[in-house]
């Protein structure tokens, strides 16, 4: 690390990883943010970005570390949660909030009181010998060079290759790239230079958590293609102890209260909550845990259930969505029916929404625990059941991601139906000719399409439309209308890979003047050798056209690199061409940063603009009388308004959701996010899955991404698909609805309420009665709420259980 940052010399200069530890309940001060020098709370904190990244000097890395901008914003938000009056300053170059939902997160941080984002390089100049405060020197266009004192300085450090990368590469015989990360093929990013050895996670290069997760699945899928002939021959079935019948026993409830690091423990008085739980009826044991979801704590729950003779378990922790299966499993390991478990959400429902009201939050946590215990006493054992799995897959979308995913699944021995709405496969990749790294996209695409059509297990439907989709995980039925006619496809899983589209600009004279084009159109003109383009004297590229605005509050992720790619190609053809890139933030994250620097070295001129002062474009003439497009923009470095004569204008048009996304989401009953892209089950932990079982996603249907990322995610989706298709059965939940025919009056309200077609009428001697298909039921309880006679009950959420919770809520915690 550069000496100018004084790390290790000034006590109150810490790295972002040090600061992360300070925020953690297991950290040196148990979640309190304290200065090392005097153990006082810092009030004025500065973050310096790009420490060790985007630097071409000894000790620095030329690449962008990808994650630093957003983890800094996270740390700022958590700091404000700790101290609402804290003053936080972020010294930055570009803000690279390129990921899904990152832009609103950045805006949320920016709007917090006491937050400053200052676009400036910064250096640490001195430490006050008495207060140990740290002084930072920086400059701004308005005020020039300034010095400012802070209580603490956080260095946002980047990502390096593993310390033993050379030894690792030698042992496995793999090549490294120029940055000493693993060398990969951009078209198959999980493959190393040595056949049979694959790579995932940040050893591919700096990446965020979602990318790490799906590259891991993708590497697993690549392994599966090689080892499919061994699949299922070495597995050992997990055996649980026999389940004890405790339905006749008096409830013996165990309560486990989780600190969840600092998420709960910093706000809720966990020891007080445990002490209170022991006073509740039927509670015979209670304890606190640091992370209940950790393997050692989960085992502790199992052990205590056996040792204390518990027959009900309540875990007071975070969201059931993520961790309830883990905790249910602890009961199974103890020989107890898993539906005797209840989860009290004291994070999302308590500590996160009452972070400034610690006493009140503790009392509310006690209320939630009391309600959960009351419900647990009325829980009943339920049985799950196995459903057969159809080993065929359906992939919707024949672009790069869809074809890659389909081919990976087919290579592992499964029949795949690939449905594409256009007459040709390839999607948006048909319009891309080369990558930033110089790879030939069309050659790769043609080879991929050839492999798809030649694969014996792949069935392709082009010019196709899906007319109906029914069924459930393991047993879907989809009707497809195509050039083959109407086809009914029975399949076990579905992958949504419908891609995305390019925004059709309405600004900057696009559609009015043929000298204004999108970047894809520019690339096509360059590839065709259009004289008007390649011999232009001046070309202006305008970034963020149609996104990062009120209509589309997200970053399209790929546009900055696309601009750099086309600029470098034009400079290669015509070095004398004047090229200007008008940008807000250059988001060439990862190794793309090197190409950004190369473009600057080749005299591509970068001019930053602000969203409230966008460039203006109008037709005009140059001083020589040549017809040009006059581009007016404010240069905030020079402090002047510039006028550029341009022969060509290229617009970095936004990536927008596919026009058919809404229809597909309704057919397969999967959600779209507020930006119109498909919404995954969990942004970090399940980035290629939906909440609906058996349905997966990949590619730009999920969010804009580069080809390498789309291919990675496609392999990742294939990996998750194979975890299901490799089994003969899938387990269905026991928490489903059931109908009491005696109470049913045949009104049909439940049928209209059910989104899954799980209810239908059946003729009986007493007339039409609703009948539930438990295989289709998802247990959402809509029919239960609609039934006017109370004929439908949702198992595990019966009236008795819920009324017990309500009654417990009414009890004063102070009694």
């Amino acid at each position: 690390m550069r000496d100018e940052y004084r790390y290790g010399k000034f006590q109150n200069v810490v790295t972002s990883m040090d600061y992360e530890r300070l925020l953690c309940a297991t950290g040196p001060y148990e979640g309190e943010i304290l200065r090392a020098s005097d153990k006082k709370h810092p009030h004025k904190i500065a973050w310096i970005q790009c420490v060790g990244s985007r630097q071409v000097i000894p000790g620095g890395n030329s690449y962008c570390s990808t994650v630093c901008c957003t983890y800094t914003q996270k740390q700022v938000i958590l700091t404000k949660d700790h101290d609402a009056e804290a003053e936080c300053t972020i010294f930055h170059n570009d803000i690279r909030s390129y990921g899904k939902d990152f832009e609103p997160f950045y805006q949320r941080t920016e709007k917090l009181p006491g937050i400053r984002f200052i676009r400036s390089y910064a250096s640490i100049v001195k430490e006050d010998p008495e207060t140990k405060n740290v002084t930072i020197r920086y400059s701004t266009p308005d005020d020039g060079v300034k010095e400012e004192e802070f209580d603490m300085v956080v260095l946002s450090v980047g990502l390096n290759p593993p310390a033993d990368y050379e030894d690792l590469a030698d042992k496995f015989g793999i090549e490294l790239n120029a940055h000493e990360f693993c060398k990969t093929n951009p078209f198959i990013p999980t493959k190393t230079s040595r056949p049979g050895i694959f790579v995932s996670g940040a050893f591919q290069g700096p990446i965020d958590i979602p990318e790490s997760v799906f590259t891991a699945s993708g590497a697993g899928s690549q392994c599966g293609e090689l080892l499919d002939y061994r699949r299922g021959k070495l597995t050992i079935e997990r055996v649980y102890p026999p389940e004890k019948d405790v339905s006749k026993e008096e409830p013996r409830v165990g309560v486990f209260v989780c600190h969840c690091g600092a998420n709960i423990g910093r706000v809720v008085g966990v020891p007080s909550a445990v002490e209170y739980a022991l006073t509740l009826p039927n509670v015979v044991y209670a304890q606190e845990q640091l992370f209940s979801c950790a393997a050692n704590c989960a085992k502790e729950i199992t052990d205590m259930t056996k040792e204390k003779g518990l027959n009900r378990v309540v875990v007071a922790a975070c969201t059931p969505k993520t961790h309830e299966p883990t905790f249910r499993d602890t009961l199974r390991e103890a020989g107890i029916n898993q539906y005797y478990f209840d989860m009290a959400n004291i994070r999302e429902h308590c500590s996160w929404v009452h972070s400034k009201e610690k006493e009140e939050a503790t009392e509310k946590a006690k209320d939630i625990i009391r309600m959960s215990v009351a419900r647990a006493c009325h829980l009943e054992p339920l049985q799950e059941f196995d459903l057969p799995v159809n080993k065929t897959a359906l992939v919707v979308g024949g672009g790069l991601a869809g074809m890659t995913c389909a081919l990976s699944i087919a290579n592992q021995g499964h029949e795949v139906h690939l449905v594409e709405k256009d007459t040709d496969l390839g999607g948006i990749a048909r319009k891309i000719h080369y990558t930033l790294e110089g790879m030939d996209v069309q050659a790769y695409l043609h080879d991929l399409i050839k492999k798809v059509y030649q694969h014996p297990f792949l069935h392709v439907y082009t010019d196709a439309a899906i007319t109906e989709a029914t069924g459930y995980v393991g047993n879907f039925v989809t009707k497809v209308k195509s050039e083959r006619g109407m086809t009914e496809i029975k399949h076990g899983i579905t992958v949504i890979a419908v891609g995305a589209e390019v925004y059709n600009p309405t600004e900057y004279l696009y559609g009015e003047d043929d000298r204004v084009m999108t970047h894809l159109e520019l690339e096509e003109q360059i590839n065709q050798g259009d004289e008007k383009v390649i011999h232009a004297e001046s070309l202006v590229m305008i970034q963020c056209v149609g996104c990062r605005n009120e209509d589309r509050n997200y970053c399209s992720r790929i546009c900055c690199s696309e601009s750099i790619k086309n600029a470098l190609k034009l400079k290669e053809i015509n070095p004398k061409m004047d090229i200007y890139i008008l940008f807000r933030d250059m988001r060439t994250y990862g190794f793309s940063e090197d190409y950004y620097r190369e473009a600057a070295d080749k005299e591509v001129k970068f001019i930053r603009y602000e969203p409230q002062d966008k460039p203006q474009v109008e037709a005009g003439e140059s001083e020589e009388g040549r017809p040009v497009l006059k581009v007016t923009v404010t240069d905030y470095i020079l402090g002047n308004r510039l006028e550029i004569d341009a022969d060509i204008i290229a617009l970095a048009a936004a990536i927008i959701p596919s026009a058919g996304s809404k229809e597909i989401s309704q057919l397969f009953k999967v959600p779209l996010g507020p930006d119109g892209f498909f919404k995954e089950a969990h942004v970090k932990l399940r980035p290629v899955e939906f909440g609906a079982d058996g349905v997966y996603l990949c590619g730009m249907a999920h969010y804009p991404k580069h080809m390498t990322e789309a291919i990675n995610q496609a392999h990742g989706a294939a990996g998750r698909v194979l975890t299901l298709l490799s089994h003969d059965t899938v387990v269905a939940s026991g928490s489903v609805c059931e109908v009491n025919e005696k109470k049913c009056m045949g009104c049909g309200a439940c049928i209209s309420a059910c989104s899954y077609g799980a209810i239908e009428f059946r003729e009986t001697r007493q007339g039409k009665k609703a009948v539930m298909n438990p295989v289709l039921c998802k247990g959402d309880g809509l029919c239960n709420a609609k039934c006017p006679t109370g004929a439908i009950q949702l198992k595990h959420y019966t009236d008795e259980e819920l009324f017990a919770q309500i009654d417990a809520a009414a009890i004063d915690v102070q009694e």
Side-chain angles (χ1 to χ4, degrees):
M1 191 180 298
R2 290 160 61 184
D3 186 59
E4 69 187 82
Y5 294 120
R6 306 298 197 273
Y7 181 68
K9 297 180 179 179
F10 293 173
Q11 285 183 283
N12 296 320
V13 176
V14 301
T15 69
S16 48
M17 294 298 100
D18 297 332
Y19 197 77
E20 197 80 20
R21 290 298 300 151
L22 290 177
L23 291 166
C24 185
T26 60
Y29 308 122
E30 297 181 334
E32 281 196 81
I33 304 172
L34 301 177
R35 305 198 321 166
S37 62
D38 51 19
K39 305 302 184 288
K40 291 182 179 179
H41 292 277
H43 177 69
K44 189 175 181 182
I45 308 175
W47 278 260
I48 299 178
Q49 299 301 104
C50 301
V51 176
S53 302
R54 303 186 68 184
Q55 298 172 340
V56 284
I57 58 173
N61 297 310
S62 65
Y63 55 81
C64 166
S65 286
T66 300
V67 299
C68 317
C69 288
T70 303
Y71 79 53
T72 293
Q73 293 160 28
K74 178 199 73 173
Q75 290 180 347
V76 168
I77 290 173
L78 292 174
T79 300
K80 294 293 284 186
D81 283 343
H82 280 256
D83 178 6
E85 302 302 317
E87 297 176 12
C88 302
T89 303
I90 301 94
F91 294 101
H92 66 93
N93 185 354
D94 300 289
I95 291 292
R96 293 186 165 170
S97 300
Y98 62 86
K100 191 169 188 178
D101 299 327
F102 281 13
E103 187 72 14
F105 192 72
Y106 165 42
Q107 292 166 356
R108 173 189 168 189
T109 310
E110 192 178 31
K111 291 175 183 176
L112 289 171
I115 304 300
R116 292 183 296 163
F117 280 84
I118 298 177
R119 191 182 291 266
S120 173
Y121 289 105
S123 59
I124 295 170
V125 294
K126 63 184 177 182
E127 177 187 67
D128 188 301
E130 293 183 7
T131 65
K132 301 299 182 184
N133 288 350
V134 181
T135 299
I136 288 180
R137 180 182 294 146
Y138 62 97
S139 67
T140 65
D142 295 331
D143 302 326
V145 177
K146 298 178 66 176
E147 290 189 358
E148 189 172 346
E149 190 174 272
F150 293 89
D151 300 335
M152 179 182 280
V153 175
V154 182
L155 306 177
S156 296
V157 294
L159 303 180
N160 288 332
D164 60 344
Y165 63 88
E166 288 182 337
D167 185 47
L168 192 68
D170 288 341
K171 283 180 179 177
F172 289 97
I174 59 174
E175 295 179 32
L176 302 175
N177 65 18
H179 297 293
E180 296 166 340
F181 288 89
C182 186
K183 183 178 180 180
T184 62
N185 181 333
F187 290 133
I188 313 177
T190 52
K191 285 189 175 181
T192 68
S193 57
R194 184 178 180 187
I197 297 180
F198 303 93
V199 61
S200 67
F203 196 34
Q204 285 188 355
I207 56 176
D208 200 3
I209 293 172
E211 287 79 15
S212 294
V213 171
F214 62 64
T215 59
S217 292
S221 185
Q222 290 284 293
C223 293
E225 291 186 35
L226 289 179
L227 302 176
D228 181 62
Y229 71 99
R230 300 289 287 169
R231 193 185 301 277
K233 296 179 181 178
L234 301 174
T235 54
I236 299 174
E237 186 177 356
R238 187 175 182 180
V239 178
Y240 291 94
E243 187 176 293
K244 293 183 291 186
D245 182 6
V246 298
S247 58
K248 303 293 192 296
E249 298 178 6
E250 284 294 313
R252 291 177 57 83
V253 183
V255 178
F256 299 83
V257 186
C258 179
H259 283 264
C260 197
N263 283 295
I264 295 172
R266 180 174 50 81
V267 179
V268 173
V270 172
S272 176
V274 170
E275 187 177 326
Y276 174 73
L278 287 167
T279 69
L280 296 173
N282 300 306
V283 173
V284 298
Y285 180 75
Q287 72 166 80
E288 58 186 282
Q289 294 181 310
L290 188 58
F291 288 102
S292 295
C293 58
N296 62 316
C297 290
K299 185 177 185 303
E300 189 176 43
I301 295 172
T302 297
D303 293 342
M304 289 299 103
T305 301
K306 294 177 180 177
E307 182 181 323
K308 304 296 181 181
L310 307 179
N311 55 28
R312 307 285 193 283
V313 170
V314 170
V315 173
C318 57
T319 168
K321 186 176 181 180
T322 304
H323 294 303
E324 188 173 51
T326 299
F327 298 131
R328 283 185 173 181
D329 201 61
T330 63
L331 269 69
R332 295 186 69 186
E333 289 286 3
I336 305 295
N337 186 282
Q338 61 180 309
Y339 288 92
Y340 281 127
F341 169 79
D342 195 56
M343 197 160 182
N345 189 343
I346 61 172
R347 188 180 73 176
E348 282 84 349
H349 294 174
C350 189
S351 66
W352 276 6
V353 290
H354 302 294
S355 59
K356 306 292 189 301
E357 307 151 316
K358 296 187 177 182
E359 290 185 10
E360 291 86 348
T362 299
E363 297 308 311
K364 181 177 178 180
K366 293 176 182 179
D367 292 343
I368 294 171
I369 291 170
R370 183 177 67 253
M371 294 166 65
S372 188
V373 168
R375 177 172 183 264
C377 291
H378 294 275
L379 293 175
E380 298 174 349
L382 301 176
Q383 298 302 321
E384 296 181 332
F385 51 97
D386 292 338
L387 301 173
V389 173
N390 183 316
K391 299 301 185 78
T392 300
L394 172 71
V395 177
V396 184
L400 196 62
M403 288 191 291
T404 300
C405 182
L407 199 58
S408 183
I409 297 169
N411 284 342
Q412 296 176 68
H414 294 276
E415 195 173 0
V416 182
H417 296 270
L418 180 63
V419 178
E420 168 56 40
K421 69 179 186 302
D422 291 337
T423 54
D424 297 303
L425 297 177
I428 206 167
R430 296 201 306 269
K431 300 178 181 179
I432 301 172
H433 297 275
Y434 44 86
T435 68
L436 191 56
E437 299 83 7
M439 304 291 285
D440 187 337
V441 175
Q442 292 306 304
Y444 175 77
L445 186 63
H446 292 153
D447 183 59
L448 183 65
I449 292 172
K450 182 179 177 181
K451 288 178 180 177
V452 166
Y453 276 112
Q454 290 182 346
H455 202 290
F457 291 162
L458 262 167
H459 309 281
V460 179
Y461 305 79
T462 54
D463 197 16
I466 295 174
T467 60
E468 185 180 347
T470 59
Y472 49 90
V473 56
N475 293 272
F476 293 104
V477 179
T478 301
K479 292 182 179 178
V480 176
K481 184 180 180 181
S482 69
E483 55 193 10
R484 299 183 178 196
M486 187 66 73
T487 307
E488 183 178 272
I489 302 170
K490 295 180 179 180
H491 53 104
I493 65 92
T494 304
V495 180
I496 306 296
V498 295
E501 299 174 3
V502 178
Y503 166 65
N504 193 36
T506 58
E507 50 268 78
Y508 303 121
L509 300 183
Y510 183 81
E512 301 174 33
D513 193 311
D514 62 5
R515 293 171 293 180
V516 182
M517 59 191 72
T518 66
H519 264 297
L520 274 182
E521 292 165 348
L522 174 66
E523 183 171 334
E524 185 65 36
Q525 298 294 330
I526 295 170
N527 185 66
Q528 292 177 358
D530 189 299
E531 298 286 329
K532 179 182 68 175
V533 170
I534 63 176
H535 293 308
E537 291 183 25
S538 175
L539 183 144
V540 173
M541 301 177 177
I542 303 176
Q543 302 302 109
C544 300
V545 177
C547 62
R548 297 187 71 190
N549 56 26
E550 290 184 3
D551 295 332
R552 297 175 196 86
N553 192 24
Y554 59 87
C555 168
S556 288
R557 188 173 182 138
I558 65 174
C559 314
C560 290
S561 294
E562 177 74 7
S563 295
I564 297 293
K565 179 185 78 172
N566 285 334
L568 287 172
K569 179 63 75 172
L570 286 168
K571 278 291 188 179
E572 179 186 320
I573 298 169
N574 181 3
K576 294 182 179 179
M577 185 185 297
D578 290 324
I579 300 177
Y580 302 83
I581 297 181
L582 313 185
F583 70 98
R584 289 175 58 185
D585 296 280
M586 286 304 296
R587 291 181 170 175
T588 46
Y589 58 93
F591 299 144
S592 298
E593 180 69 13
D594 290 338
Y595 297 97
Y596 176 22
R597 186 172 293 103
E598 181 185 346
D601 290 343
K602 291 184 176 178
E603 298 185 345
V604 174
K605 301 171 184 69
F606 294 86
I607 302 172
R608 184 175 62 85
Y609 74 88
E610 293 290 346
Q612 68 273 15
D613 185 17
K614 293 180 179 180
Q616 302 296 315
V617 176
E618 60 181 16
E621 291 186 350
S622 67
E623 292 180 357
E624 300 82 18
R626 181 167 53 91
V628 295
L629 292 164
K630 290 193 172 290
V631 181
T632 309
V633 62
T634 301
D635 188 319
Y636 286 88
I637 302 299
L638 299 176
N640 293 327
R641 190 83 172 156
L642 304 181
E643 186 177 86
I644 304 169
D645 291 345
D647 296 312
I648 300 293
I649 292 178
L651 306 180
I655 301 298
I656 61 175
S658 169
S661 292
K662 187 174 182 180
E663 183 183 358
I664 292 295
S665 75
Q666 292 170 343
L667 280 167
F668 292 97
K669 301 176 178 64
V670 292
L672 298 173
D675 50 20
F677 294 99
F678 285 91
K679 186 174 179 60
E680 65 279 43
H682 191 289
V683 67
K684 299 288 187 187
L685 305 179
R686 298 175 66 194
V688 297
E689 300 168 69
F690 287 105
D693 295 335
V695 189
Y696 306 83
L697 82 159
C698 63
M700 290 208 293
H702 169 246
Y703 190 70
K705 49 180 62 70
H706 292 285
M707 278 194 287
T708 296
E709 296 164 332
I711 292 167
N712 258 335
Q713 194 178 27
H715 283 299
R720 297 306 301 155
V721 164
L722 265 294
T723 62
L724 194 152
L725 294 188
S726 60
H727 293 88
D728 295 327
T729 60
V730 63
V731 178
S733 172
S735 179
V736 295
C737 292
E738 62 178 354
V739 180
N740 183 336
E741 281 193 7
K742 293 180 179 179
K743 291 185 177 181
C744 176
M745 65 180 193
C747 67
C750 56
I751 295 176
S752 60
C754 182
S755 303
Y756 303 98
I759 312 173
E760 59 185 10
F761 278 134
R762 184 175 68 187
E763 288 293 340
T764 71
R765 292 180 179 179
Q766 290 76 37
K768 288 192 298 183
K769 301 289 183 179
V771 178
M772 182 69 59
N773 183 343
V775 172
L776 294 177
C777 179
K778 297 296 181 184
D780 60 14
L782 287 176
C783 58
N784 184 17
K786 280 277 190 177
C787 182
T789 62
I792 299 180
Q793 288 285 300
L794 174 57
K795 296 177 182 179
H796 203 55
Y797 297 94
T798 63
D799 289 350
E800 185 181 25
E801 293 161 6
L802 298 180
F803 285 145
Q805 272 189 295
I806 295 168
D807 291 342
I811 300 173
D812 189 342
V813 72
Q814 299 298 330
E815 289 181 359

